[in-house]
């Protein structure tokens, strides 16, 4: 894969930080967006504080850094972070994802990868779970991740975006 400039959302998180670090190691330029700074900043990652609901920030970052790929790992996990704030969970996980997809469409980005969650499927049979297993989330977090996955698929079909969850 040719070197790209990648925006990693949730770049201070459990999955986002190692992803950002691995991308730098592969020679990519990485801009990390998160609500909080990482405990230990990843060398080579330009960390930016901000949220996914700030659509103007998203467009500025894509323009300023000439981003061509997004790895979307930013989310709010309701059970862990905002159990009693369903609006915040949906604003971040659903609207934030739409903001990224629409920016990807408007700027004709090369690719967007969304890090989804098994929570979108709810109770499943033993692994491996088929790609076409029905989404039967058991909680708001899972439903918000499932909604984002379905929206991603709709953007792929309707606009031809190279997106995957």
């Amino acid at each position: 894969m040719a070197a790209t400039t990648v925006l990693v959302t949730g770049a201070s998180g459990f999955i986002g930080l190692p992803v950002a670090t691995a991308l730098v190691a592969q020679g990519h330029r990485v801009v990390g967006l998160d609500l909080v700074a990482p405990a230990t900043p990843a060398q080579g990652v330009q960390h930016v504080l901000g949220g996914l609901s700030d659509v103007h920030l998203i467009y500025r970052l894509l323009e300023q850094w000439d981003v061509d790929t997004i790895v979307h790992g930013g989310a709010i996990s309701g059970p862990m972070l905002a159990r009693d704030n369903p609006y915040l969970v949906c604003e971040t996980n659903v609207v934030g994802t739409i903001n990224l997809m629409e920016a990807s469409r408007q700027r004709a980005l090369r690719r967007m990868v969304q890090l989804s969650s098994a929570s979108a499927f709810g109770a499943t049979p033993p692994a491996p779970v088929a790609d076409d297993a029905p989404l039967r989330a058991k909680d708001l977090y899972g439903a918000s991740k499932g909604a984002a996955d379905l929206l991603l698929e709709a953007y792929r079909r309707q606009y031809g975006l190279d997106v995957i969850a």
Side-chain angles (χ1 to χ4, degrees):
M1 169 194 265
T4 59
T5 301
V6 183
L7 173 66
V8 177
T9 68
S12 296
F14 179 68
I15 297 173
L17 188 58
V19 166
T21 302
L23 287 167
V24 168
Q26 292 175 6
H28 302 284
R29 186 166 71 162
V30 177
V31 179
L33 177 64
D34 207 314
L35 289 171
V36 297
T40 305
Q43 190 169 10
V45 176
Q46 176 64 46
H47 289 280
V48 177
L49 296 179
L52 300 174
S53 61
D54 187 346
V55 69
H56 301 291
L57 173 62
I58 291 168
Y59 278 90
R60 272 195 316 272
L61 291 175
L62 298 183
E63 177 73 28
Q64 176 184 352
W65 293 94
D66 196 25
V67 171
D68 62 4
T69 303
I70 295 174
V71 175
H72 177 31
I76 293 222
S77 170
M80 292 179 271
L81 300 176
R83 181 177 198 87
D84 296 324
N85 193 342
Y87 180 82
L88 179 62
V89 172
C90 289
E91 179 184 36
T92 302
N93 297 352
V94 179
V95 176
T97 301
I98 291 170
N99 288 342
L100 292 167
M101 288 186 298
E102 187 58 17
S104 295
R105 182 177 81 85
Q106 292 291 329
R107 297 217 8 104
L109 265 59
R110 195 170 77 129
R111 181 142 228 231
M112 180 175 158
V113 176
Q114 173 171 288
L115 307 180
S116 189
S117 172
S119 294
F121 294 102
T124 60
V129 177
D131 288 339
D132 61 352
L135 301 176
R136 294 185 178 137
K138 294 170 139 185
D139 59 21
L140 187 69
Y141 169 71
S144 71
K145 293 300 281 187
D149 290 352
L150 290 171
L151 287 164
L152 206 75
E153 176 66 14
Y155 260 76
R156 185 184 68 75
R157 290 176 189 260
Q158 187 167 342
Y159 299 112
L161 290 179
D162 185 0
V163 294
I164 190 166

